[in-house]
Amino acid sequence: MEQDKKKWSGRFNEPVSELVERYTASVGFDYKLAEYDIQGSLAHAHMLAAAGIISGSDLADIERGLEQIRDEIHNHQFDWQVAREDVHLNIEHRLTALVGDAGKRLHTARSRNDQVATDIRLYLRAASDEIISLIRALQQALLELAEQHADTIMPGFTHLQVAQPVTFGHHLLAYFEMLQRDAQRLQDGRKRINQLPLGAAALAGTSYPIDREAVARELEFDGICRNSLDAVSDRDFAIEFCACAALIMMHLSRLSEELILWMSPSFGFIELADRFCTGSSIMPQKKNPDVPELVRGKTGRINGHLVALLTLMKSQPLAYNKDNQEDKEPLFDTVDTLKDTLRIYADMMTGVKVNQTTMRQAALRGYATATDLADYLVRKGMPFRDAHEIVAKVVRAAEDKQCDLSALSLPELKQFSAVIEADVFAILTLEGSVQSRNHSGGTAPAQVRQAIERARSSITE
Ligand code: ARG
């Protein structure tokens, strides 16, 4: 068998072994770059013809051949061969089979090094745009739910202990803000992705009279990579993308954790639609929040991909090294996982059912208005530290009576401080508490409604 195999070129005495062939091939995964590889090749060929480096008839052959290859790939008729190593050589080989010498001329003034760097940038640019619009869809879903629950009261937590009452709408808007920064980060990273490597060739540039700006324009890059060695070797833009992805997943894993807690019968704050949950094969009563749990779990794998790429790039000498072929699988998996996660999340948040009574009960159980009572005493002239101590004693008394602060009578409250009057009850209620936090960024329902307005216009402009 080995004897039938072809040597890499006339420089070699023997072909690679089958194991080496399999070990070094990337076509099993980089076939995903095919569409971008074709776009890049077409732009390169147009430039070669315009510069007089190839003839008009070669260009016509190349265009015809690449269009056919695009169809074949689209219709799953393309014969991918591991022996042809990667997506670039598979396409070039097929092109030559289809159009002859013109196919062999396509690689003039180009190397697979600048070719693959271009392909990945085109791929990541499209992925960034898609992910930004998926973030927008999730943000919309959060805004809708927040709007329905601008007045819904829940306990706000610190240390997972009841802290102060907040509105559920306000809580959801916190995630809107996180996603807003996530989208901004992707948008910003896109500028660094969107620079053209082609023209760098293997590492040093090329001796042909190429027009890199024209290629950049055709492929809608914002500009060209300024240094050929840097252009073919660095993958910092991909690492940056993975860092953005890891932050998004980190945010979604926090929301997932909350959904999981809120859905547990011990909390009972929400229900997720059945289509996002599964049952247990042994415990008939169970409804498990599989989707948020998997989002939490997949966050680990996205973090892993980020670390994989950082480690891959670390200590590589200039310029291109084959190590970089290993950038693709982590990158592709990051994009696929993130897209699916965002899609599923937007749908899941639309189907969240809120148990308002349970949320309210939970806020009442934890003396969530204790700070409001302290603030009340301060408004009556007491130093905050003294007020804090007095309220601690009031809470103890309420605990002994097993009732909420607002259920204590005025005479009872007055035993702790003579400055307490009947107007205290307005601030001891949950509603009074949230309404009093009426400044921008605060939890008051009026503020939540304004924040939703602002948020809506920020994502549609
Ligand atoms: N498959 C390679 C990669 O993904 C393409 C570039 C190969 N360049 C080379 N000089 N062997 O990085």
Side-chain angles (χ1 to χ4, degrees):
M1 284 298 274
E2 292 275 309
Q3 293 89 299
D4 302 340
K5 286 169 54 117
K6 279 186 59 188
K7 294 180 289 175
W8 174 261
S9 74
R11 187 209 182 289
F12 292 81
N13 289 322
E14 56 175 6
V16 295
S17 74
E18 256 177 68
L19 177 57
V20 170
E21 181 176 278
R22 191 157 53 75
Y23 194 76
T24 54
S26 55
V27 65
F29 45 88
D30 68 13
Y31 72 90
K32 282 194 176 207
L33 295 173
E35 174 54 31
Y36 305 108
D37 201 64
I38 292 172
Q39 285 173 18
S41 288
L42 285 169
H44 181 67
H46 293 148
M47 181 278 290
L48 291 179
I53 302 168
I54 61 171
S55 69
S57 84
D58 280 341
L59 173 62
D61 286 346
I62 289 169
E63 283 179 327
R64 180 171 49 81
L66 287 175
E67 288 306 336
Q68 176 167 341
I69 290 169
R70 185 180 256 160
D71 283 348
E72 288 175 0
I73 293 172
H74 190 74
N75 300 322
H76 306 286
Q77 286 160 349
F78 192 87
D79 182 22
W80 297 105
Q81 294 273 339
V82 174
R84 308 222 166 89
E85 201 177 316
D86 58 21
V87 61
H88 324 291
L89 295 179
N90 267 271
I91 291 180
E92 190 183 327
H93 186 273
R94 177 70 183 142
L95 181 67
T96 304
L98 288 170
V99 305
D101 280 355
K104 296 187 197 163
R105 292 202 176 97
L106 172 62
H107 212 52
T108 315
R110 186 176 76 167
S111 152
R112 278 187 296 157
N113 297 352
D114 56 347
Q115 188 177 357
V116 71
T118 304
D119 292 3
I120 305 173
R121 283 170 183 268
L122 289 171
Y123 166 84
L124 270 187
R125 181 178 74 185
S128 300
D129 290 346
E130 232 182 303
I131 290 165
I132 290 168
S133 56
L134 291 169
I135 290 177
R136 295 302 180 218
L138 173 54
Q139 285 182 305
Q140 295 279 9
L142 287 172
L143 288 180
E144 262 154 54
L145 196 60
E147 191 161 47
Q148 289 163 32
H149 294 285
D151 299 281
T152 303
I153 288 178
M154 69 180 283
F157 299 91
T158 59
H159 312 271
L160 208 55
Q161 308 291 318
V162 172
Q164 292 171 352
V166 294
T167 50
F168 187 47
H170 191 58
H171 193 108
L172 292 168
L173 288 180
Y175 287 100
F176 177 92
E177 292 296 326
M178 296 177 220
L179 290 166
Q180 188 74 350
R181 293 191 295 279
D182 290 332
Q184 284 166 1
R185 262 187 287 272
L186 282 171
Q187 198 69 53
D188 195 66
R190 190 190 192 279
K191 294 185 225 154
R192 286 174 289 282
I193 290 171
N194 206 26
Q195 302 291 326
L196 175 78
L198 274 180
L203 76 166
T206 174
S207 56
Y208 297 93
I210 57 170
D211 182 353
R212 299 185 66 203
E213 306 288 351
V215 179
R217 270 195 306 279
E218 176 165 344
L219 293 172
E220 294 178 21
F221 279 101
D222 297 331
I224 60 172
C225 298
R226 293 282 153 200
N227 178 290
S228 63
L229 298 163
D230 176 44
V232 291
S233 61
D234 204 4
R235 298 288 183 265
D236 61 351
F237 61 91
I239 297 173
E240 195 178 349
F241 175 88
C242 285
C244 295
L247 285 169
I248 297 170
M249 291 299 288
M250 179 275 289
H251 287 148
L252 295 181
S253 79
R254 298 184 69 191
L255 180 53
S256 297
E257 174 70 7
E258 300 208 304
L259 295 176
I260 293 162
L261 283 173
W262 295 342
M263 201 178 129
S264 119
S266 315
F267 275 75
F269 288 4
I270 61 156
E271 285 272 347
L272 293 181
D274 284 355
R275 65 183 182 281
F276 301 102
C277 302
T278 63
S280 154
S281 52
I282 176 169
M283 298 164 282
Q285 84 284 12
K286 294 283 296 281
K287 181 172 160 186
N288 298 329
D290 289 39
V291 169
E293 287 175 73
L294 274 172
V295 171
R296 204 171 52 178
K298 283 173 194 284
T299 304
R301 120 189 205 172
I302 300 300
N303 290 349
H305 294 331
L306 169 61
V307 175
L309 289 199
L310 280 167
T311 315
L312 174 72
M313 201 71 243
K314 175 190 170 295
S315 313
Q316 272 193 50
L318 292 180
Y320 175 85
N321 301 282
K322 188 83 165 183
D323 310 39
N324 281 347
Q325 181 163 290
E326 287 289 311
D327 64 355
K328 291 173 197 62
E329 285 166 295
L331 205 50
F332 294 163
D333 188 64
T334 298
V335 169
D336 293 343
T337 305
L338 190 53
K339 286 203 296 204
D340 281 351
T341 303
L342 286 165
R343 273 191 200 110
I344 216 162
Y345 238 102
D347 191 15
M348 188 166 66
M349 293 316 288
T350 329
V352 169
K353 278 224 276 304
V354 177
N355 189 340
Q356 303 191 26
T357 318
T358 316
M359 274 188 176
R360 195 169 197 291
Q361 288 302 324
L364 282 174
R365 268 202 310 275
Y367 304 107
T369 57
T371 318
D372 297 273
L373 180 55
D375 290 343
Y376 171 87
L377 294 174
V378 169
R379 279 198 298 278
K380 300 269 172 170
M382 196 180 286
F384 183 78
R385 281 294 161 218
D386 294 342
H388 186 280
E389 186 52 27
I390 285 176
V391 177
K393 290 181 180 140
V394 180
V395 167
R396 171 92 75 85
E399 237 168 18
D400 290 345
K401 280 192 76 180
Q402 296 195 1
C403 70
D404 182 50
L405 298 181
S406 61
L408 295 170
S409 68
L410 186 57
E412 279 171 317
L413 286 167
K414 268 189 171 303
Q415 284 172 11
F416 297 94
S417 167
V419 301
I420 300 180
E421 304 292 342
D423 61 351
V424 74
F425 292 106
I427 62 102
L428 283 184
T429 64
L430 297 173
E431 285 72 16
S433 171
V434 294
Q435 265 155 29
S436 68
R437 285 162 169 76
N438 193 13
H439 52 80
S440 59
T443 193
Q447 290 297 331
V448 172
R449 290 201 175 82
Q450 279 181 34
I452 292 171
E453 284 307 304
R454 264 199 311 276
R456 284 234 162 86
S457 54
S458 78
I459 59 175
T460 47
E461 72 201 6

